[in-house]
Amino acid sequence: MSNPEHQPGRAPRKSLGKRICGSDALEWYRLAKAPLVLGHEIAGEIVQVGENVSGWKKGDRVFVSHHVPCGICRYCVEGHESCCDTLASTNFDPGGFAEYLRVPAVNVRNGVYALPDSITYDQGVFIEPLACVFGANGMPAGGLEEES
């Protein structure tokens, strides 16, 4: 995809760090989505900010979650975000292996995180798999401290 035109509520970003996920390598997963551009573990730089987007600007280094809950349905309010209907319907356009991609408004609101300068783009792509490890083990990801 060439540099995407901006759309209201979206934040196009340039994908600078990306990795292949185990699910991207599974034939049953890939074939059902073909010819989709795969890739959802990405970190990059915002290249343009759409109307109605606040808190982000061109040049910001970010990690972007590919599936995010809405945060307002009864499941989300009760702390059961994995049951949220929005969670399974959100994604990037076209996919993380594209040079540029569009990030939907709900992902911008609920799934874009600043990437500190101390974390490279290549390291940033491991945020999502690490979050899965924390979640699977019932460990809170918040409150982790950097080593001195």
Side-chain angles (χ1 to χ4, degrees):
M1 159 184 270
S2 60
N3 193 348
E5 59 186 67
H6 99 250
Q7 297 171 339
R10 292 179 176 244
R13 53 165 299 288
K14 185 172 185 175
S15 184
L16 297 170
K18 44 197 139 193
R19 291 286 181 262
I20 193 159
C21 176
S23 60
D24 292 337
L26 298 172
E27 189 170 306
W28 64 266
Y29 178 85
R30 266 190 353 251
L31 292 180
K33 298 177 183 296
L36 180 71
V37 176
L38 297 172
H40 59 265
E41 296 167 348
I42 56 174
E45 177 182 304
I46 294 177
V47 296
Q48 201 172 31
V49 178
E51 297 169 27
N52 304 321
V53 172
S54 60
W56 302 106
K57 66 184 180 318
K58 181 178 177 180
D60 282 346
R61 294 167 32 86
V62 294
F63 165 80
V64 184
S65 298
H66 67 296
H67 292 313
V68 297
C70 70
I72 57 173
C73 72
R74 73 179 179 97
Y75 298 115
C76 289
V77 170
E78 294 172 1
H80 303 289
E81 293 87 351
S82 62
C83 296
C84 176
D85 290 333
T86 301
L87 182 69
S89 66
T90 56
N91 217 332
F92 315 126
D93 175 33
F97 284 111
E99 182 179 9
Y100 293 94
L101 54 94
R102 288 179 288 270
V103 178
V106 68
N107 293 62
V108 172
R109 282 190 311 273
N110 301 337
V112 175
Y113 303 94
L115 192 64
D117 290 338
S118 61
I119 297 177
T120 68
Y121 292 117
D122 285 338
Q123 292 167 333
V125 299
F126 290 102
I127 292 171
E128 189 265 350
L130 183 59
C132 291
V133 171
F134 278 108
N137 288 294
M139 300 166 63
L144 294 179
E145 297 179 17
E146 281 189 42
E147 290 184 26
S148 311

